[in-house]
Amino acid sequence: MNTDPIADYLTRIRNAIRAKHRVVEIPASNIKKEITKVLYDKGYIQNYKFDDNTPQGTIKIALKYNPVTKQPAIVDLQRISRPGLRQYRGADHLPRILNGLGVAIISTSKGVMTDKEAKTLNVGGEVLCYVY
């Protein structure tokens, strides 16, 4: 049993990038699917596919690399809120990552979104992770 599935999700992506894999396969959950959609919308991953062949299902993520320099689009993933210490922020105290170059993924009452989207909707929530 995994006590922090989001940390496991981020670690699998981080390890796949360091090993220069093209595709990573991760056990699915609703929150992981939403985080995957945000990563795709912001251009951090090339593509994704949800497979429902098993009872839990899996997420297949195609990682994105620069074709010339072979550098990954994701430099780092950091888990912020964790089961032992949840991190909540109001709409006026949402973090800026690398002066706006990175994104903070926030779980709000209106769904999972980036910090910029949460500021425009004026909602706060749990800061799940930083991506840059």
Side-chain angles (χ1 to χ4, degrees), residues 1-17:
M1 184 177 136
N2 193 353
T3 58
D4 191 0
I6 297 172
D8 178 61
Y9 170 85
L10 297 174
T11 300
R12 285 175 189 245
I13 292 175
R14 191 180 308 114
N15 289 343
I17 288 171

Side-chain angles (χ1 to χ4, degrees), residues 12-13 15-25 44-48 60-73:
R12 285 175 189 245
I13 292 175
N15 289 343
I17 288 171
R18 288 184 182 158
K20 305 250 187 275
H21 289 274
R22 289 278 174 209
V23 177
V24 61
E25 193 169 324
Y44 287 106
I45 59 175
Q46 190 171 0
N47 208 345
Y48 64 91
K60 290 185 181 179
I61 298 174
L63 300 171
K64 191 176 191 178
Y65 295 93
N66 185 329
V68 177
T69 62
K70 307 288 189 223
Q71 294 296 317

Side-chain angles (χ1 to χ4, degrees), residues 22-84:
R22 289 278 174 209
V23 177
V24 61
E25 193 169 324
I26 301 168
S29 72
N30 289 336
I31 189 80
K32 292 179 194 176
K33 288 180 181 179
E34 294 301 316
I35 294 172
T36 304
K37 290 176 186 174
V38 170
L39 289 176
Y40 178 74
D41 291 341
K42 295 302 167 190
Y44 287 106
I45 59 175
Q46 190 171 0
N47 208 345
Y48 64 91
K49 181 180 176 185
F50 301 136
D51 283 338
D52 295 325
N53 296 340
T54 61
Q56 183 179 3
T58 59
I59 304 170
K60 290 185 181 179
I61 298 174
L63 300 171
K64 191 176 191 178
Y65 295 93
N66 185 329
V68 177
T69 62
K70 307 288 189 223
Q71 294 296 317
I74 298 173
V75 176
D76 195 19
L77 299 159
Q78 291 182 354
R79 177 76 160 120
I80 303 305
S81 183
R82 50 193 174 87

